[in-house]
Amino acid sequence: MRIVGTLAVALGLLGQATLASAESSFVVLGDMPYDEAGQTDSIRYMGSLLRQQNTDLVIHYGDLKGGGERCDDDLLEVRREIILGLVPGRVVFTPGDNDWTDCDRKSNGGYNELERLDRLRELFFTGPTPGGPDWQLVRQMPGYPENGRWQKDELQFVTLHVVGTSNGRRNIDLGKAERDQLSKKEAKEAEDKLKQEARERANARDLANVQWLSEAFAAAEDAKGLVVVMHTDPTDLDKKDRDHAHIACGGDVLKNCNPYKAIIDSLRLQAAEFERPVLLVHGSTKAYCLDKSYGKGVAPQLWRLNGPGDFVVIDAAVVTFDPTSSQPFEVTGLLSEHGVPAC
């Protein structure tokens, strides 16, 4: 796949399609900007195009920073202004693992990852609720303001907080500032306690996600399709998780389990019962593509879009919905104007 240049000015001048002209269209992007790759200018340029085209809905599926960038408040605040400024008031954001679970890495500042999650919620999900002329987001409250649900045109939308690093169950380290204040023994005890808490909170998030997804399907009674957006690829398991892929995390099962089994099983089952087109949008893995592999043998109308971003395809995806088509979700690059490849 050809990498789109930093500003892609030439492509941008090739007669961009007017997004507002399509009744059921929206834009998704994520895994950017990674500043070490010089992507900030690219995403700002995409924002200028989206505003020119009066785009009504943009969804960012997480990772607003690179895995090696620091998780300082200053950086998060700058990226918040960039992301939410793409089309002010009409951007929905769901977190990625780079945004909080990986913040305990030394290169990221050595933060307590749960503290960073709390801060992320303060920065991104306590302000005005996104909405447009014909849609208004509802948050999952109390406790999970990052999960949103809304209906626009013929589509019901839902965002779920599902991230990489085993959905926050692995690589849980005590923040450097806390560790420096403790003895070696105290630090070990504090870290063990933190790991227990992080895994319990991951289980609680899973329950909230499954409940929120069910509520979205219930709210889609009059919709002709449903779109689910989350950050991680639910089949992207590390080796330890693959060894226990048949065991769903939850309850007393805090590790040695599949962190995504509960949500993907729920999605497949409900998509099969829905009997209308469903699209799962995620990032995290590198293959920008569209296929139906996740619903194979269970939910024939379940589609999956592995969105652009990371270091591979620097673009946004324009998704147009036509419930009468054999391929109800058409995907085109905002900058490239090329269709999405099959997976």
Side-chain angles (χ1 to χ4, degrees):
M1 191 69 188
R2 183 168 58 88
I3 297 177
V4 179
T6 303
L7 290 179
V9 174
L11 291 173
L13 296 176
L14 292 177
Q16 298 292 332
T18 301
L19 304 181
S21 64
E23 233 184 29
S24 297
S25 70
F26 58 97
V27 174
V28 295
L29 73 161
D31 296 313
M32 66 175 84
Y34 291 179
D35 198 49
E36 67 264 35
Q39 296 173 2
T40 299
D41 287 340
S42 296
I43 200 168
R44 282 182 167 142
Y45 176 67
M46 285 188 264
S48 70
L49 292 178
L50 295 170
R51 292 189 296 274
Q52 288 171 19
Q53 298 170 11
N54 295 319
T55 306
D56 193 38
L57 172 60
V58 179
I59 308 171
H60 190 291
Y61 43 78
D63 273 12
L64 52 78
K65 56 177 285 298
E69 291 186 271
R70 291 181 64 89
C71 295
D72 301 336
D73 278 6
D74 288 348
L75 182 141
L76 294 177
E77 289 168 6
V78 168
R79 298 297 166 84
R80 175 189 61 187
E81 298 310 308
I82 292 173
I83 299 302
L84 300 187
L86 289 167
V87 183
R90 301 181 188 179
V91 178
V92 179
F93 170 72
T94 186
D97 49 282
N98 287 359
D99 307 328
W100 68 273
T101 65
D102 299 336
C103 288
D104 49 10
R105 296 175 182 172
K106 289 182 180 179
S107 62
N108 292 2
Y111 285 95
N112 178 315
E113 64 185 58
L114 297 184
E115 181 275 330
R116 285 292 85 185
L117 173 56
D118 292 341
R119 184 61 177 142
L120 195 72
R121 284 172 170 158
E122 290 176 0
L123 287 172
F124 280 86
F125 306 108
T126 58
T129 302
D134 61 348
W135 66 279
Q136 190 69 43
L137 182 140
V138 176
R139 300 195 185 281
Q140 188 179 20
M141 299 295 286
Y144 303 94
E146 64 273 20
N147 283 354
R149 187 181 77 233
W150 67 99
Q151 187 163 330
K152 178 183 183 298
D153 300 326
E154 301 171 313
L155 284 170
Q156 175 74 35
F157 291 83
V158 60
T159 58
L160 304 174
H161 187 177
V162 185
V163 299
T165 321
S166 295
N167 206 6
R169 289 181 170 88
R170 290 203 187 281
N171 303 328
I172 305 161
D173 300 315
L174 200 63
K176 183 180 184 302
E178 295 174 72
R179 186 182 296 278
D180 289 348
Q181 297 177 19
L182 302 173
S183 68
K184 188 173 182 180
K185 179 181 179 181
E186 290 171 333
K188 175 67 167 59
E189 292 174 350
E191 191 161 271
D192 289 345
K193 183 178 179 181
L194 176 66
K195 289 180 179 179
Q196 179 77 9
E197 180 184 359
R199 289 165 179 157
E200 289 175 352
R201 286 178 63 169
N203 278 1
R205 255 191 339 271
D206 285 348
L207 288 173
N209 283 325
V210 170
Q211 177 188 350
W212 196 238
L213 179 64
S214 297
E215 291 183 18
F217 273 103
E221 182 179 358
D222 298 327
K224 295 184 179 179
L226 187 142
V227 177
V228 181
V229 184
M230 61 189 191
H231 177 254
T232 202
D233 180 346
T235 63
D236 185 31
L237 304 176
D238 68 19
K239 185 180 185 305
K240 290 183 179 179
D241 290 340
R242 286 197 299 271
D243 291 342
H244 304 90
H246 61 292
I247 303 172
C249 298
D252 294 331
V253 182
L254 300 177
K255 57 182 180 178
N256 298 327
C257 51
N258 183 338
Y260 311 118
K261 182 173 172 55
I263 193 65
I264 198 66
D265 284 354
S266 178
L267 175 60
R268 286 170 172 155
L269 176 62
Q270 294 189 78
E273 294 175 348
F274 190 58
E275 296 183 335
R276 281 161 275 170
V278 176
L279 175 67
L280 170 64
V281 180
H282 70 77
S284 193
T285 48
K286 294 182 178 180
Y288 170 47
C289 60
L290 177 72
D291 72 0
K292 298 176 73 175
S293 59
Y294 287 8
K296 188 175 181 180
V298 178
Q301 295 201 67
L302 175 58
W303 295 78
R304 176 277 289 258
L305 171 62
N306 190 343
D310 210 320
F311 297 99
V312 182
V313 181
I314 309 308
D315 207 343
V318 182
V319 183
T320 303
F321 176 63
D322 178 1
T324 67
S325 173
S326 59
Q327 182 170 317
F329 300 101
E330 293 286 343
V331 182
T332 306
L334 174 70
L335 298 178
S336 71
E337 296 188 310
H338 295 160
V340 62
C343 298

